Each structure stands twice: as C-alpha cells, then as structure tokens.
Amino acid sequence: MKRIGIVTSGGDCSGMNAAIRSATRTALGMGVQVVGFRKGYLGVLKGDHLEMGSKEVAGILHRGGTFLQSARSDEFRTEAGREKAVRRIREIGVEGLVIIGGDGSLKGALALHRLGVPVIGIPASIDNDIPFTDMALGVDTALNNIIYAVDCIKDTASSHDRAFVIEVMGRNSGYLATMAAIATGAEYAIIPEVEVDLAELCNQLRHRYEEGRSNAIILMAEGAGKAENIAETIKDAIGFETRVTVLGHYQRGGAPSYFDRMIGSRLGNVAAKLLLAGERGKMVGLNCSEIVATPLESVVVSEKRQQDELFGLAAILGV
Ligand code: F6P
C-alpha cells in the first residue's frame, strides 16, 4: 500500500484528533501517503479530502472534536451510496482506510470491507457501548466533563436544599450515568437498561430530606426518558425543591484527558500498522491495557456486556 485514508464518522469525541495524528505519522514513517476525508462518509462520497503530511496533523492533539470534522450520511447507508464511496476511494488512489467512529460508523466500515476496501476501525463513542474494547475514545474525557459539571451543581444544590435531575448522554446506554453516579456520589442513576422504581426513588430521597441532608443528585441517561418528566413526577413527594439540568453536547467536547490522548495515540498507531501489514476488516480495541484486534463481523453483532455490578455499586453508594 502506498496511500491510505483516514475518516472520522458519526458523533465526534475528544481523542479523535490523537488517533488521526498517530495513524498519520505512523503511516508517513513507513513511507506511505495519507489523506484525510472531511466530514465522515459524506466526504468519502464527495471525494472531499486533503493530503496530510506531518505538519497537517500538528497542533491538534490537545483539541477536542475532530479537525477532519464528522457527519452522518443517509446516502452512505444505501447500497448505491456505498458503491459510489468505493469508486471515489479508488479514484483518489486510496488503497485502505482507518475509520474512527461509533457503532454505525463501524457497520459502515464493515460494509466497505465487504466491498473489497481494506479497513481498520477505531472505536470512538462517549457512550462506551462498543464491544471488544474496555474503553472507546472520548469516554474518559466525557466522564471528566460530567464530574466537573455535577460537582458544580452539587455546590449550588447544597446551598438551597435542592434535588437536581441531571440528564447525561446515552441514547441506548446507561454507562455514563452509572459511572458518573459512582464518581460524583449521586444518590440515584436512572438508565435505559433498568426499569426505574419511582416509589422507591421518592422514598429514598424523602428519607434523605428528613435526615437533614442538603441536596440530592439524580443522574439520568437521555435514553431513559426526559429529565423534566421525572422531576415533575417526583417534585411533590421528596421534600426537596427540584431543578433540572440537561448537560447535552457540553459532555462531548473539550481538551482530551490524558487517557484519551494516550489511547488515541496507541490505537491510531496500531490501526495504521495493521492496515499496512495486510490486516483487513478489524477493529482495534483496548483489552486490559493491551491493544487487540477483533474482526468487525464480531464487533457489529455483539453487545457490550452490561455493567450490572457497577449499577449495583452506584445504588449501594447512593444511600
Ligand atoms: O452516540 C453518542 C451520542 O453522544 C449519544 O449519547 C447521543 O445520544 C448522540 O450521540 C447525540 O447525537 P447528535 O450529536 O447527532 O445529536
């Protein structure tokens, strides 16, 4: 291979830039040209790309998001769109791709692999819902963002004897809500994977109020419903005055943590090396500190193991 491409696709996250920079410099160091496609699969379909030397990826390691930008493309989800993408990739002379993104992006990567394009995927999603990796890119930074915000909210909550329902991201996943509940000492996590017992939630919060505690924090994953609705339902039963904060896309941005810079750099390096060594159709992930490659076929049909034990821990610590 003489020329490879890099794509960041789906929801952006902190650490993507570290992976782009590392894959680029690894390939350049092996004498291979690198192009970056702009705006995910949309850019691939349009052939919108830039030539990337070492200088093009300088100054991005500490920045959140992805300097290549990202997008979701409906056309790429169709068979005709994917065939068009393959034609564009070939026109540009790109012989293989490193694709950085979440579950939808990795499904796209597998589709390209099946159409004969050599690909290696890198898991990137703050939801941490991608199997065969302990952590995806962006998760650690997002959790640090959430912890910072919840600590701030707790200060003001304590000054007013208030309960806050704080909505965090996670369309189908309660990972962020569960982990942030443990790390912030929140009283309750409401997640899509477990049905919430509202009567028990109200009892627990009322008990806290009667004990004279000064605040209560409920962390709720967006996929478990609307924070406003929960707040409205519980507000007359818990004693505390109730407020809602939706953290939204704040969670996804910001300077990547040490951990995201490190795994971005390691995953980008191994992805480029594997691609150039002739590996195809795999995703690199972190398994107990080691970088391992798993066939995309297995990744897209598997579900990440639910964190029952950790949800239980959040419940024990929240009393
Ligand atoms: O998949 C990651 C994620 O951050 C989800 O938790 C969230 O629901 C979604 O992306 C938001 O997507 P968008 O940026 O398109 O609104």
Side-chain angles (χ1 to χ4, degrees):
M1 253 181 226
K2 289 276 164 266
R3 189 165 158 85
I4 66 165
I6 301 181
V7 183
T8 50
S9 163
D12 70 310
C13 65
S14 296
M16 280 182 159
N17 282 328
I20 297 169
R21 172 179 176 269
S22 174
T24 301
R25 289 190 173 167
T26 300
L28 291 173
M30 294 169 79
V32 172
Q33 293 174 357
V34 182
V35 307
F37 285 96
R38 295 190 185 90
K39 301 191 181 172
Y41 291 126
L42 207 63
V44 178
L45 283 165
K46 290 183 178 160
D48 183 7
H49 69 284
L50 69 152
E51 302 292 328
M52 299 211 294
S54 184
K55 180 168 166 281
E56 277 63 37
V57 294
I60 63 170
L61 178 63
H62 62 294
R63 285 173 41 202
T66 160
F67 96 106
L68 288 175
Q69 298 192 277
S70 193
R72 304 188 199 274
S73 161
D74 288 336
E75 189 184 356
F76 185 76
R77 289 200 189 98
T78 66
E79 218 178 292
R82 285 170 174 167
E83 279 161 8
K84 182 169 154 190
V86 174
R87 286 198 299 278
R88 288 276 180 273
I89 291 164
R90 296 207 168 119
E91 275 162 25
I92 295 165
V94 164
E95 296 164 279
L97 290 176
V98 172
I99 298 175
I100 306 165
D103 50 359
S105 309
L106 295 170
K107 282 188 184 125
L110 177 60
L112 288 176
H113 164 68
R114 286 180 174 151
L115 289 171
V117 179
V119 298
I120 299 288
I122 296 181
S125 166
I126 66 167
D127 293 347
N128 208 23
D129 56 354
I130 303 168
F132 298 103
T133 188
D134 297 341
M135 292 282 272
L137 276 180
V139 178
D140 187 65
T141 304
L143 276 168
N144 286 325
N145 289 344
I146 294 169
I147 288 169
Y148 179 78
V150 174
D151 288 351
C152 292
I153 292 168
K154 213 165 174 167
D155 288 344
T156 173
S158 309
S159 306
H160 291 272
D161 282 337
R162 282 178 176 158
F164 272 79
V165 184
I166 303 175
E167 188 181 299
V168 299
M169 278 185 162
R171 211 174 355 219
N172 304 307
S173 157
Y175 184 86
L176 290 175
T178 304
M179 295 315 202
I182 295 170
T184 61
E187 279 58 51
Y188 222 90
I190 302 179
I191 63 171
E193 296 89 340
V194 179
E195 202 177 332
V196 58
D197 181 341
L198 282 175
E200 191 221 307
L201 168 67
C202 289
N203 280 342
Q204 194 177 315
L205 296 189
R206 161 128 331 245
H207 177 65
R208 261 184 90 77
Y209 180 74
E210 284 163 357
E211 268 185 343
R213 309 246 205 143
S214 63
N215 71 84
I217 301 289
I218 300 151
L219 281 178
M220 177 167 179
E222 62 173 325
K226 285 250 154 289
E228 289 282 358
N229 296 346
I230 291 285
E232 189 55 34
T233 313
I234 64 173
K235 75 176 194 309
D236 295 325
I238 59 173
F240 292 109
E241 201 184 344
T242 309
R243 292 285 189 275
V244 170
T245 302
V246 177
L247 294 184
H249 287 78
Y250 153 82
Q251 296 160 83
R252 251 181 21 202
S257 63
Y258 158 77
F259 185 81
D260 278 324
R261 294 179 199 206
M262 187 52 64
I263 58 165
S265 300
R266 290 181 67 196
L267 293 171
N269 169 258
V270 177
K273 282 204 294 213
L274 289 181
L275 187 62
L276 296 174
E279 293 276 4
R280 273 104 188 78
K282 294 197 169 164
M283 181 195 83
V284 288
L286 188 70
N287 184 349
C288 301
S289 302
E290 300 292 323
I291 306 290
V292 294
T294 307
L296 284 165
E297 259 108 8
S298 308
V299 174
V300 302
V301 297
S302 308
E303 262 187 45
K304 198 166 173 92
R305 195 174 48 81
Q306 292 309 316
Q307 309 281 332
D308 293 343
E309 176 213 329
L310 294 164
F311 186 72
L313 178 60
I316 291 167
L317 299 180
V319 290

mmCIF file with all atom_site columns, all heavy atoms in Angstrom, residues 103 128-132 172 193 298-306:
data_model
loop_
_atom_site.group_PDB
_atom_site.id
_atom_site.type_symbol
_atom_site.label_atom_id
_atom_site.label_alt_id
_atom_site.label_comp_id
_atom_site.label_asym_id
_atom_site.label_entity_id
_atom_site.label_seq_id
_atom_site.pdbx_PDB_ins_code
_atom_site.Cartn_x
_atom_site.Cartn_y
_atom_site.Cartn_z
_atom_site.occupancy
_atom_site.B_iso_or_equiv
_atom_site.pdbx_formal_charge
_atom_site.auth_seq_id
_atom_site.auth_comp_id
_atom_site.auth_asym_id
_atom_site.auth_atom_id
_atom_site.pdbx_PDB_model_num
ATOM 1   N N   . ASP A 1 103 ? -20.761 2.818   16.712 1.00 0.00 ? 103 ASP A N   1
ATOM 2   C CA  . ASP A 1 103 ? -21.295 1.563   16.157 1.00 0.00 ? 103 ASP A CA  1
ATOM 3   C C   . ASP A 1 103 ? -21.767 1.701   14.701 1.00 0.00 ? 103 ASP A C   1
ATOM 4   O O   . ASP A 1 103 ? -21.461 0.847   13.865 1.00 0.00 ? 103 ASP A O   1
ATOM 5   C CB  . ASP A 1 103 ? -22.398 0.974   17.053 1.00 0.00 ? 103 ASP A CB  1
ATOM 6   C CG  . ASP A 1 103 ? -23.460 1.992   17.434 1.00 0.00 ? 103 ASP A CG  1
ATOM 7   O OD1 . ASP A 1 103 ? -23.354 3.167   17.029 1.00 0.00 ? 103 ASP A OD1 1
ATOM 8   O OD2 . ASP A 1 103 ? -24.418 1.604   18.123 1.00 0.00 ? 103 ASP A OD2 1
ATOM 9   N N   . ASN A 1 128 ? -19.568 4.461   25.316 1.00 0.00 ? 128 ASN A N   1
ATOM 10  C CA  . ASN A 1 128 ? -18.830 3.234   25.655 1.00 0.00 ? 128 ASN A CA  1
ATOM 11  C C   . ASN A 1 128 ? -19.675 1.975   25.433 1.00 0.00 ? 128 ASN A C   1
ATOM 12  O O   . ASN A 1 128 ? -19.657 1.043   26.250 1.00 0.00 ? 128 ASN A O   1
ATOM 13  C CB  . ASN A 1 128 ? -18.308 3.259   27.103 1.00 0.00 ? 128 ASN A CB  1
ATOM 14  C CG  . ASN A 1 128 ? -17.044 2.427   27.250 1.00 0.00 ? 128 ASN A CG  1
ATOM 15  O OD1 . ASN A 1 128 ? -16.329 2.182   26.274 1.00 0.00 ? 128 ASN A OD1 1
ATOM 16  N ND2 . ASN A 1 128 ? -16.770 1.951   28.449 1.00 0.00 ? 128 ASN A ND2 1
ATOM 17  N N   . ASP A 1 129 ? -20.384 1.959   24.319 1.00 0.00 ? 129 ASP A N   1
ATOM 18  C CA  . ASP A 1 129 ? -21.267 0.817   24.022 1.00 0.00 ? 129 ASP A CA  1
ATOM 19  C C   . ASP A 1 129 ? -20.712 -0.074  22.911 1.00 0.00 ? 129 ASP A C   1
ATOM 20  O O   . ASP A 1 129 ? -21.451 -0.874  22.342 1.00 0.00 ? 129 ASP A O   1
ATOM 21  C CB  . ASP A 1 129 ? -22.672 1.331   23.652 1.00 0.00 ? 129 ASP A CB  1
ATOM 22  C CG  . ASP A 1 129 ? -22.647 2.324   22.495 1.00 0.00 ? 129 ASP A CG  1
ATOM 23  O OD1 . ASP A 1 129 ? -21.546 2.703   22.050 1.00 0.00 ? 129 ASP A OD1 1
ATOM 24  O OD2 . ASP A 1 129 ? -23.736 2.719   22.039 1.00 0.00 ? 129 ASP A OD2 1
ATOM 25  N N   . ILE A 1 130 ? -19.436 0.062   22.605 1.00 0.00 ? 130 ILE A N   1
ATOM 26  C CA  . ILE A 1 130 ? -18.842 -0.759  21.540 1.00 0.00 ? 130 ILE A CA  1
ATOM 27  C C   . ILE A 1 130 ? -18.131 -1.952  22.179 1.00 0.00 ? 130 ILE A C   1
ATOM 28  O O   . ILE A 1 130 ? -17.267 -1.764  23.044 1.00 0.00 ? 130 ILE A O   1
ATOM 29  C CB  . ILE A 1 130 ? -17.846 0.074   20.698 1.00 0.00 ? 130 ILE A CB  1
ATOM 30  C CG1 . ILE A 1 130 ? -18.576 1.301   20.122 1.00 0.00 ? 130 ILE A CG1 1
ATOM 31  C CG2 . ILE A 1 130 ? -17.235 -0.770  19.583 1.00 0.00 ? 130 ILE A CG2 1
ATOM 32  C CD1 . ILE A 1 130 ? -17.664 2.336   19.533 1.00 0.00 ? 130 ILE A CD1 1
ATOM 33  N N   . PRO A 1 131 ? -18.511 -3.179  21.779 1.00 0.00 ? 131 PRO A N   1
ATOM 34  C CA  . PRO A 1 131 ? -17.881 -4.353  22.395 1.00 0.00 ? 131 PRO A CA  1
ATOM 35  C C   . PRO A 1 131 ? -16.427 -4.536  21.942 1.00 0.00 ? 131 PRO A C   1
ATOM 36  O O   . PRO A 1 131 ? -15.990 -3.900  20.992 1.00 0.00 ? 131 PRO A O   1
ATOM 37  C CB  . PRO A 1 131 ? -18.749 -5.515  21.899 1.00 0.00 ? 131 PRO A CB  1
ATOM 38  C CG  . PRO A 1 131 ? -19.418 -5.021  20.680 1.00 0.00 ? 131 PRO A CG  1
ATOM 39  C CD  . PRO A 1 131 ? -19.545 -3.533  20.797 1.00 0.00 ? 131 PRO A CD  1
ATOM 40  N N   . PHE A 1 132 ? -15.726 -5.407  22.629 1.00 0.00 ? 132 PHE A N   1
ATOM 41  C CA  . PHE A 1 132 ? -14.327 -5.748  22.327 1.00 0.00 ? 132 PHE A CA  1
ATOM 42  C C   . PHE A 1 132 ? -13.366 -4.583  22.536 1.00 0.00 ? 132 PHE A C   1
ATOM 43  O O   . PHE A 1 132 ? -12.301 -4.524  21.919 1.00 0.00 ? 132 PHE A O   1
ATOM 44  C CB  . PHE A 1 132 ? -14.176 -6.330  20.905 1.00 0.00 ? 132 PHE A CB  1
ATOM 45  C CG  . PHE A 1 132 ? -14.949 -7.604  20.731 1.00 0.00 ? 132 PHE A CG  1
ATOM 46  C CD1 . PHE A 1 132 ? -16.156 -7.615  20.041 1.00 0.00 ? 132 PHE A CD1 1
ATOM 47  C CD2 . PHE A 1 132 ? -14.492 -8.794  21.278 1.00 0.00 ? 132 PHE A CD2 1
ATOM 48  C CE1 . PHE A 1 132 ? -16.892 -8.778  19.896 1.00 0.00 ? 132 PHE A CE1 1
ATOM 49  C CE2 . PHE A 1 132 ? -15.214 -9.969  21.139 1.00 0.00 ? 132 PHE A CE2 1
ATOM 50  C CZ  . PHE A 1 132 ? -16.418 -9.958  20.453 1.00 0.00 ? 132 PHE A CZ  1
ATOM 51  N N   . ASN A 1 172 ? -28.867 4.794   24.117 1.00 0.00 ? 172 ASN A N   1
ATOM 52  C CA  . ASN A 1 172 ? -29.265 3.423   24.467 1.00 0.00 ? 172 ASN A CA  1
ATOM 53  C C   . ASN A 1 172 ? -28.442 2.882   25.621 1.00 0.00 ? 172 ASN A C   1
ATOM 54  O O   . ASN A 1 172 ? -28.514 1.704   25.925 1.00 0.00 ? 172 ASN A O   1
ATOM 55  C CB  . ASN A 1 172 ? -29.064 2.489   23.260 1.00 0.00 ? 172 ASN A CB  1
ATOM 56  C CG  . ASN A 1 172 ? -29.800 2.985   22.051 1.00 0.00 ? 172 ASN A CG  1
ATOM 57  O OD1 . ASN A 1 172 ? -30.992 3.243   22.111 1.00 0.00 ? 172 ASN A OD1 1
ATOM 58  N ND2 . ASN A 1 172 ? -29.087 3.144   20.939 1.00 0.00 ? 172 ASN A ND2 1
ATOM 59  N N   . GLU A 1 193 ? -31.338 0.566   30.692 1.00 0.00 ? 193 GLU A N   1
ATOM 60  C CA  . GLU A 1 193 ? -31.271 -0.887  30.845 1.00 0.00 ? 193 GLU A CA  1
ATOM 61  C C   . GLU A 1 193 ? -32.060 -1.406  32.044 1.00 0.00 ? 193 GLU A C   1
ATOM 62  O O   . GLU A 1 193 ? -32.327 -2.609  32.138 1.00 0.00 ? 193 GLU A O   1
ATOM 63  C CB  . GLU A 1 193 ? -29.806 -1.341  31.011 1.00 0.00 ? 193 GLU A CB  1
ATOM 64  C CG  . GLU A 1 193 ? -28.899 -1.095  29.817 1.00 0.00 ? 193 GLU A CG  1
ATOM 65  C CD  . GLU A 1 193 ? -28.222 0.278   29.851 1.00 0.00 ? 193 GLU A CD  1
ATOM 66  O OE1 . GLU A 1 193 ? -28.719 1.175   30.575 1.00 0.00 ? 193 GLU A OE1 1
ATOM 67  O OE2 . GLU A 1 193 ? -27.215 0.455   29.149 1.00 0.00 ? 193 GLU A OE2 1
ATOM 68  N N   . SER A 1 298 ? -17.528 -9.646  14.166 1.00 0.00 ? 298 SER A N   1
ATOM 69  C CA  . SER A 1 298 ? -17.893 -9.970  15.553 1.00 0.00 ? 298 SER A CA  1
ATOM 70  C C   . SER A 1 298 ? -18.337 -8.715  16.296 1.00 0.00 ? 298 SER A C   1
ATOM 71  O O   . SER A 1 298 ? -19.269 -8.759  17.105 1.00 0.00 ? 298 SER A O   1
ATOM 72  C CB  . SER A 1 298 ? -16.704 -10.565 16.310 1.00 0.00 ? 298 SER A CB  1
ATOM 73  O OG  . SER A 1 298 ? -16.170 -11.636 15.590 1.00 0.00 ? 298 SER A OG  1
ATOM 74  N N   . VAL A 1 299 ? -17.667 -7.598  16.022 1.00 0.00 ? 299 VAL A N   1
ATOM 75  C CA  . VAL A 1 299 ? -17.982 -6.358  16.746 1.00 0.00 ? 299 VAL A CA  1
ATOM 76  C C   . VAL A 1 299 ? -19.432 -5.954  16.505 1.00 0.00 ? 299 VAL A C   1
ATOM 77  O O   . VAL A 1 299 ? -20.170 -5.645  17.442 1.00 0.00 ? 299 VAL A O   1
ATOM 78  C CB  . VAL A 1 299 ? -17.037 -5.209  16.298 1.00 0.00 ? 299 VAL A CB  1
ATOM 79  C CG1 . VAL A 1 299 ? -17.457 -3.889  16.934 1.00 0.00 ? 299 VAL A CG1 1
ATOM 80  C CG2 . VAL A 1 299 ? -15.592 -5.539  16.650 1.00 0.00 ? 299 VAL A CG2 1
ATOM 81  N N   . VAL A 1 300 ? -19.860 -5.987  15.221 1.00 0.00 ? 300 VAL A N   1
ATOM 82  C CA  . VAL A 1 300 ? -21.190 -5.417  14.922 1.00 0.00 ? 300 VAL A CA  1
ATOM 83  C C   . VAL A 1 300 ? -22.342 -6.324  15.361 1.00 0.00 ? 300 VAL A C   1
ATOM 84  O O   . VAL A 1 300 ? -23.465 -5.841  15.497 1.00 0.00 ? 300 VAL A O   1
ATOM 85  C CB  . VAL A 1 300 ? -21.358 -5.049  13.422 1.00 0.00 ? 300 VAL A CB  1
ATOM 86  C CG1 . VAL A 1 300 ? -20.302 -4.062  12.979 1.00 0.00 ? 300 VAL A CG1 1
ATOM 87  C CG2 . VAL A 1 300 ? -21.378 -6.268  12.541 1.00 0.00 ? 300 VAL A CG2 1
ATOM 88  N N   . VAL A 1 301 ? -22.077 -7.604  15.598 1.00 0.00 ? 301 VAL A N   1
ATOM 89  C CA  . VAL A 1 301 ? -23.187 -8.474  16.032 1.00 0.00 ? 301 VAL A CA  1
ATOM 90  C C   . VAL A 1 301 ? -23.207 -8.692  17.548 1.00 0.00 ? 301 VAL A C   1
ATOM 91  O O   . VAL A 1 301 ? -24.104 -9.336  18.067 1.00 0.00 ? 301 VAL A O   1
ATOM 92  C CB  . VAL A 1 301 ? -23.171 -9.854  15.324 1.00 0.00 ? 301 VAL A CB  1
ATOM 93  C CG1 . VAL A 1 301 ? -23.367 -9.694  13.832 1.00 0.00 ? 301 VAL A CG1 1
ATOM 94  C CG2 . VAL A 1 301 ? -21.904 -10.629 15.646 1.00 0.00 ? 301 VAL A CG2 1
ATOM 95  N N   . SER A 1 302 ? -22.213 -8.143  18.237 1.00 0.00 ? 302 SER A N   1
ATOM 96  C CA  . SER A 1 302 ? -22.147 -8.370  19.690 1.00 0.00 ? 302 SER A CA  1
ATOM 97  C C   . SER A 1 302 ? -22.675 -7.160  20.449 1.00 0.00 ? 302 SER A C   1
ATOM 98  O O   . SER A 1 302 ? -22.724 -6.061  19.917 1.00 0.00 ? 302 SER A O   1
ATOM 99  C CB  . SER A 1 302 ? -20.710 -8.607  20.131 1.00 0.00 ? 302 SER A CB  1
ATOM 100 O OG  . SER A 1 302 ? -20.130 -9.604  19.348 1.00 0.00 ? 302 SER A OG  1
ATOM 101 N N   . GLU A 1 303 ? -23.052 -7.423  21.688 1.00 0.00 ? 303 GLU A N   1
ATOM 102 C CA  . GLU A 1 303 ? -23.443 -6.312  22.554 1.00 0.00 ? 303 GLU A CA  1
ATOM 103 C C   . GLU A 1 303 ? -22.427 -6.185  23.664 1.00 0.00 ? 303 GLU A C   1
ATOM 104 O O   . GLU A 1 303 ? -21.928 -7.194  24.160 1.00 0.00 ? 303 GLU A O   1
ATOM 105 C CB  . GLU A 1 303 ? -24.809 -6.595  23.168 1.00 0.00 ? 303 GLU A CB  1
ATOM 106 C CG  . GLU A 1 303 ? -25.910 -5.891  22.403 1.00 0.00 ? 303 GLU A CG  1
ATOM 107 C CD  . GLU A 1 303 ? -27.242 -6.023  23.082 1.00 0.00 ? 303 GLU A CD  1
ATOM 108 O OE1 . GLU A 1 303 ? -27.298 -5.847  24.316 1.00 0.00 ? 303 GLU A OE1 1
ATOM 109 O OE2 . GLU A 1 303 ? -28.204 -6.308  22.369 1.00 0.00 ? 303 GLU A OE2 1
ATOM 110 N N   . LYS A 1 304 ? -22.161 -4.963  24.070 1.00 0.00 ? 304 LYS A N   1
ATOM 111 C CA  . LYS A 1 304 ? -21.222 -4.811  25.185 1.00 0.00 ? 304 LYS A CA  1
ATOM 112 C C   . LYS A 1 304 ? -21.908 -5.291  26.461 1.00 0.00 ? 304 LYS A C   1
ATOM 113 O O   . LYS A 1 304 ? -23.078 -4.985  26.690 1.00 0.00 ? 304 LYS A O   1
ATOM 114 C CB  . LYS A 1 304 ? -20.820 -3.348  25.333 1.00 0.00 ? 304 LYS A CB  1
ATOM 115 C CG  . LYS A 1 304 ? -19.582 -3.175  26.146 1.00 0.00 ? 304 LYS A CG  1
ATOM 116 C CD  . LYS A 1 304 ? -19.033 -1.772  25.982 1.00 0.00 ? 304 LYS A CD  1
ATOM 117 C CE  . LYS A 1 304 ? -17.898 -1.532  26.926 1.00 0.00 ? 304 LYS A CE  1
ATOM 118 N NZ  . LYS A 1 304 ? -16.607 -1.847  26.342 1.00 0.00 ? 304 LYS A NZ  1
ATOM 119 N N   . ARG A 1 305 ? -21.176 -6.040  27.235 1.00 0.00 ? 305 ARG A N   1
ATOM 120 C CA  . ARG A 1 305 ? -21.723 -6.577  28.475 1.00 0.00 ? 305 ARG A CA  1
ATOM 121 C C   . ARG A 1 305 ? -22.230 -5.444  29.371 1.00 0.00 ? 305 ARG A C   1
ATOM 122 O O   . ARG A 1 305 ? -21.579 -4.423  29.534 1.00 0.00 ? 305 ARG A O   1
ATOM 123 C CB  . ARG A 1 305 ? -20.598 -7.336  29.193 1.00 0.00 ? 305 ARG A CB  1
ATOM 124 C CG  . ARG A 1 305 ? -21.046 -8.248  30.296 1.00 0.00 ? 305 ARG A CG  1
ATOM 125 C CD  . ARG A 1 305 ? -19.840 -9.033  30.820 1.00 0.00 ? 305 ARG A CD  1
ATOM 126 N NE  . ARG A 1 305 ? -18.681 -8.174  31.090 1.00 0.00 ? 305 ARG A NE  1
ATOM 127 C CZ  . ARG A 1 305 ? -18.526 -7.436  32.200 1.00 0.00 ? 305 ARG A CZ  1
ATOM 128 N NH1 . ARG A 1 305 ? -19.430 -7.453  33.142 1.00 0.00 ? 305 ARG A NH1 1
ATOM 129 N NH2 . ARG A 1 305 ? -17.450 -6.697  32.372 1.00 0.00 ? 305 ARG A NH2 1
ATOM 130 N N   . GLN A 1 306 ? -23.416 -5.624  29.902 1.00 0.00 ? 306 GLN A N   1
ATOM 131 C CA  . GLN A 1 306 ? -23.964 -4.581  30.773 1.00 0.00 ? 306 GLN A CA  1
ATOM 132 C C   . GLN A 1 306 ? -23.210 -4.549  32.098 1.00 0.00 ? 306 GLN A C   1
ATOM 133 O O   . GLN A 1 306 ? -22.720 -5.561  32.576 1.00 0.00 ? 306 GLN A O   1
ATOM 134 C CB  . GLN A 1 306 ? -25.455 -4.823  31.013 1.00 0.00 ? 306 GLN A CB  1
ATOM 135 C CG  . GLN A 1 306 ? -26.298 -4.625  29.769 1.00 0.00 ? 306 GLN A CG  1
ATOM 136 C CD  . GLN A 1 306 ? -26.024 -3.279  29.082 1.00 0.00 ? 306 GLN A CD  1
ATOM 137 O OE1 . GLN A 1 306 ? -25.933 -2.255  29.737 1.00 0.00 ? 306 GLN A OE1 1
ATOM 138 N NE2 . GLN A 1 306 ? -25.869 -3.300  27.769 1.00 0.00 ? 306 GLN A NE2 1
#
